[in-house]
Amino acid sequence: MARRAAARTVGFGANPLLAVRLPAYRSRLMLGCVALAFAALALRATYLQVFTDDFLREQGEARYARTLILSPSRGKILDRNGTVLAASLPAQAVWAIPGQTEASPEQFKRLGKLINVEPREIRKKLEETERNLVYLRRQLDPAVAEKVRELQINGVHLQQEYKRHYPEGETVAHIVGFTNVDDAGQEGIELARNRLLAGQAGSRRVIKDRLGRVIEDLRAVRAPLNGADITLSIDSRMQFLAFNALRDTVREHRAKAGAAVVLDVVTGEILALANWPSYNPNQRANLSGAQLRNRVITDTFEPGSTLKPFTAALALELGIATPRTMIETAPGRITVGSATISDVHSYGALTLEQVIQKSSNVGVTKLALQMKPQQVWEFYTALGLGQVPQLAFPGAVAGRVRPYRNWRPIEQATMSFGHGLSGSLIQLARAYLVFARDGELLPLSITRSDAPAGGRQVIQPRTAQAVRHMLEMAAGPGGTAPLAQVAGYRVAGKTGTARKLENGQYVKKYIASFVGFAPVSAPRVVVAVMIDEPDAGKYYGGQVAAPLFSRITAESLRAMGVEPDAPGVPVVIPPTSVTESM
């Protein structure tokens, strides 16, 4: 055994690799590197566990926890009597996670049929791997959504949301407007009061599995705050009547479009606001710009003869004339500069009252040329012309009244009978409040007012009363608008017929209008109507717009329960055709 041990000793010693002596610093260096590695690991562990604990918890929670948005219920829109004009109904959104959806061809086919989407479109959406979530269908009826749930397709989920419903349909479309698929207002009151109606979304934290299913509810972060209800000034009964009357008139005269508005003389509230063409806000697949236009507020036009009563009122205010002042209109035309202004007939000498009754351009021109341009401009401005109506309603426009410093005599003359300036139907209706309210102009309101807002005196009461009598004459048997009469009620108003201006030139296309109020003894409503491009042979305001005014006014007064102020007095319609100066 001694020999074996010696042999082994000699054998190992003979190995040249074992005979090499390594420097001591190398072993120390390796030991130091190992020590530094352990120290770095210790520091990293300390950093992760002490200084980044919150970050790591958030990262870990992000793998399994989700924040779900809790949609608020959008507020209802009501008419002044509590009738629902817009409300939110429960609905479901169908969504999926790309890359995690597993379904057979038959399931895809059944899903596509339920949500009315082609299976190839569904597959195309599910191939969008750069997105974490894709919507397959929004605002699905709950009953259909339940059938989607019964398919039990992995990766396809349902989410609670709301769908807007408009019970009155096209009748109130231009007032209420509509929302988009995300329940945000796009038109009308839905847009104008979107923040108030929308409310605030809530949220809650949940744990989901890899398929997106909620397996545990952690906590409610914030409860949703439902939107507030809004009560409009609109009376849905009067709105329905005005809308039907307008639609019938546009169709009867084969017109391009039409608009009508009814104001409460006492409060300044808008009781009805109708446009044609219209649309159904519940079905908006093929909307056009013409259908969407709220012509009462957004469209401007030359008001024509509906502006003549204001010229008469200013003449009375300035002391230029009295209601009985005689004005010579023969031979039925007058030359101003190089232009000639004409009447339909040569009326001869007329009182100021008769000038308005007969709608004489010559008589109004002679009055206007006695006024200073600044006086006329300030009066128009006081009436709200050339200024955006303060309605907080989308699309309201100012119209056009040029600065008075640049007026030429012919421009001042034509503006006196409603040409060379423009305004909207809502502006004209509001301006006529001064005649119905003894010279006071009220602010308008699209929401219900429990108390009338304070007005502003624009003309003296006696001036307003004098012009009111002139307007009653204009709507009577000897005026330009006997077709505006209403059985049982005294009415006052003025016709307007204006050529349309296209590319800087007047063309043979007309806008027929009428603005008036009733009953004259104690006015309750102002009604303004406009028919754009009547094309059935008649185009004068007295022929086209006055009958529409009569129908809307009669139905509105009866709906409001206003007692007649001329019971038993028959409506007198002259046998001859009604014409007027433009």
Side-chain angles (χ1 to χ4, degrees):
M1 292 181 63
R3 283 198 300 270
R4 290 178 187 167
R8 286 198 297 270
T9 302
V10 172
F12 285 122
N15 191 328
L17 293 176
L18 296 176
V20 177
R21 286 181 173 271
L22 297 176
Y25 76 88
R26 294 183 65 179
S27 61
R28 295 190 185 97
L29 179 61
M30 290 300 298
L31 181 62
C33 288
V34 172
L36 286 174
F38 276 106
L41 288 173
L43 289 174
R44 179 62 176 169
T46 303
Y47 174 76
L48 292 175
Q49 296 180 51
V50 177
F51 298 102
T52 63
D53 182 64
D54 292 340
F55 171 77
L56 293 176
R57 287 179 184 275
E58 291 175 3
Q59 291 298 307
E61 189 174 311
R63 270 54 176 182
Y64 60 83
R66 296 288 187 273
T67 299
L68 297 183
I69 300 301
L70 304 178
S71 300
S73 177
R74 192 173 177 87
K76 294 191 290 291
I77 300 177
L78 311 169
D79 86 334
R80 65 185 303 107
N81 301 311
T83 301
V84 176
L85 305 180
S88 292
L89 303 179
Q92 295 282 339
V94 182
W95 60 277
I97 304 173
Q100 296 185 14
T101 303
E102 301 172 1
S104 66
E106 180 61 24
Q107 285 179 310
F108 271 126
K109 184 178 179 180
R110 293 176 62 188
L111 175 62
K113 187 175 181 180
L114 284 172
I115 66 175
N116 198 25
V117 178
E118 291 291 333
R120 64 175 179 273
E121 291 295 326
I122 297 175
R123 290 191 179 92
K124 183 178 179 181
K125 288 184 177 183
L126 294 176
E127 289 171 359
E128 299 178 11
T129 54
E130 69 279 1
R131 299 176 63 182
N132 295 325
L133 179 150
V134 291
Y135 284 106
L136 304 181
R137 179 66 189 272
R138 301 290 301 275
Q139 296 187 344
L140 199 64
D141 289 340
V144 179
E146 186 58 34
K147 293 180 181 180
V148 172
R149 189 191 308 276
E150 291 173 358
L151 293 177
Q152 296 183 343
I153 300 176
N154 289 336
V156 174
H157 311 281
L158 299 175
Q159 178 179 317
Q160 174 74 40
E161 60 180 6
Y162 292 95
K163 180 180 181 180
R164 207 65 167 160
H165 178 61
Y166 304 95
E168 299 296 318
E170 63 182 1
T171 305
V172 296
H174 292 95
I175 304 168
V176 175
F178 56 86
T179 62
N180 62 10
V181 72
D182 293 315
D183 221 20
Q186 301 297 294
E187 293 285 345
I189 292 296
E190 295 277 32
L191 174 60
R193 307 296 172 89
N194 184 65
R195 181 174 296 183
L196 185 62
L197 288 165
Q200 296 181 5
S203 61
R204 65 187 178 105
R205 295 289 286 174
V206 298
I207 293 177
K208 289 188 174 185
D209 64 11
R210 60 179 292 273
L211 298 179
R213 296 173 299 192
V214 176
I215 59 176
E216 185 179 350
D217 202 333
L218 294 179
R219 65 184 184 278
V221 179
R222 184 177 67 248
L225 179 62
N226 291 335
D229 295 343
I230 292 179
T231 301
L232 301 183
S233 59
I234 298 297
D235 186 317
S236 58
R237 300 168 302 167
M238 296 170 63
Q239 178 69 24
F240 177 78
L241 296 169
F243 178 83
N244 286 345
L246 177 65
R247 180 196 57 202
D248 294 347
T249 301
V250 171
R251 289 175 174 174
E252 176 188 351
H253 293 280
R254 299 200 299 269
K256 177 181 177 182
V261 61
V262 181
L263 305 182
D264 189 319
V265 172
V266 177
T267 63
E269 295 171 296
I270 301 174
L271 300 176
L273 186 155
N275 293 273
W276 185 264
S278 187
Y279 63 95
N280 188 341
N282 297 304
Q283 300 172 356
R284 306 190 299 273
N286 299 305
L287 278 182
S288 66
Q291 290 175 294
L292 285 171
R293 280 165 61 181
N294 187 345
R295 299 170 188 273
V296 173
I297 291 176
T298 65
D299 283 21
T300 60
F301 59 95
E302 292 189 345
S305 296
T306 58
L307 217 62
K308 288 176 181 175
F310 298 103
T311 302
L314 185 57
L316 296 175
E317 286 285 289
L318 297 175
I320 294 173
T322 69
R324 297 292 182 179
T325 297
M326 299 299 299
I327 302 172
E328 183 58 65
T329 67
R333 60 183 178 273
I334 183 173
T335 300
V336 181
S338 60
T340 299
I341 296 171
S342 303
D343 286 337
V344 174
H345 305 289
S346 178
Y347 297 110
L350 298 174
T351 65
L352 176 55
E353 290 179 332
Q354 292 173 323
V355 165
I356 300 302
Q357 180 187 31
K358 302 296 183 182
S359 195
S360 169
N361 293 336
V362 174
V364 171
T365 296
K366 287 188 173 183
L367 285 176
L369 293 178
Q370 299 178 57
M371 304 171 187
K372 296 179 180 179
Q374 183 176 353
Q375 293 172 326
V376 179
W377 182 86
E378 288 176 348
F379 186 48
Y380 287 164
T381 301
L383 293 169
L385 300 178
Q387 303 172 67
V388 177
Q390 299 302 308
L391 277 176
F393 203 88
V397 293
R400 182 173 179 266
V401 179
R402 294 176 59 246
Y404 64 88
R405 292 183 179 86
N406 300 322
W407 289 3
R408 294 176 298 157
I410 185 59
E411 292 173 322
Q412 183 168 338
T414 57
M415 279 190 282
S416 70
F417 52 87
H419 294 270
L421 76 169
S422 64
S424 65
L425 194 64
I426 195 74
Q427 288 176 308
L428 282 176
R430 180 181 179 235
Y432 266 69
L433 283 174
V434 300
F435 302 134
R437 289 186 57 87
D438 289 341
E440 187 182 26
L441 188 65
L442 287 180
L444 301 184
S445 174
I446 192 66
T447 55
R448 179 172 176 174
S449 302
D450 294 328
R456 175 169 47 87
Q457 201 71 29
V458 176
I459 56 177
Q460 299 177 68
R462 67 172 181 270
T463 299
Q465 292 160 10
V467 177
R468 189 187 305 169
H469 177 63
M470 299 178 197
L471 293 172
E472 186 175 10
M473 292 172 61
T480 58
L483 297 179
Q485 295 177 79
V486 176
Y489 297 93
R490 295 167 56 197
V491 301
K494 187 71 187 72
T495 54
T497 308
R499 279 189 174 184
K500 297 185 72 173
L501 192 65
E502 294 183 357
N503 301 318
Q505 299 291 328
Y506 285 103
V507 296
K508 288 188 176 181
K509 297 178 181 179
Y510 298 90
I511 291 180
S513 59
F514 190 94
V515 189
F517 49 88
V520 172
S521 58
R524 286 292 287 114
V525 293
V526 167
V527 178
V529 298
M530 177 270 287
I531 302 298
D532 188 5
E533 295 186 23
D535 192 31
K538 299 177 181 179
Y539 59 85
Y540 282 111
Q543 298 171 318
V544 176
L548 175 59
F549 164 87
S550 175
R551 178 176 168 181
I552 293 176
T553 302
E555 292 174 341
S556 297
L557 292 174
R558 294 183 187 116
M560 297 174 70
V562 178
E563 293 186 4
D565 64 342
V569 178
V571 174
V572 180
I573 307 297
T576 57
S577 61
V578 179
T579 59
E580 63 187 277
S581 298
M582 294 171 61

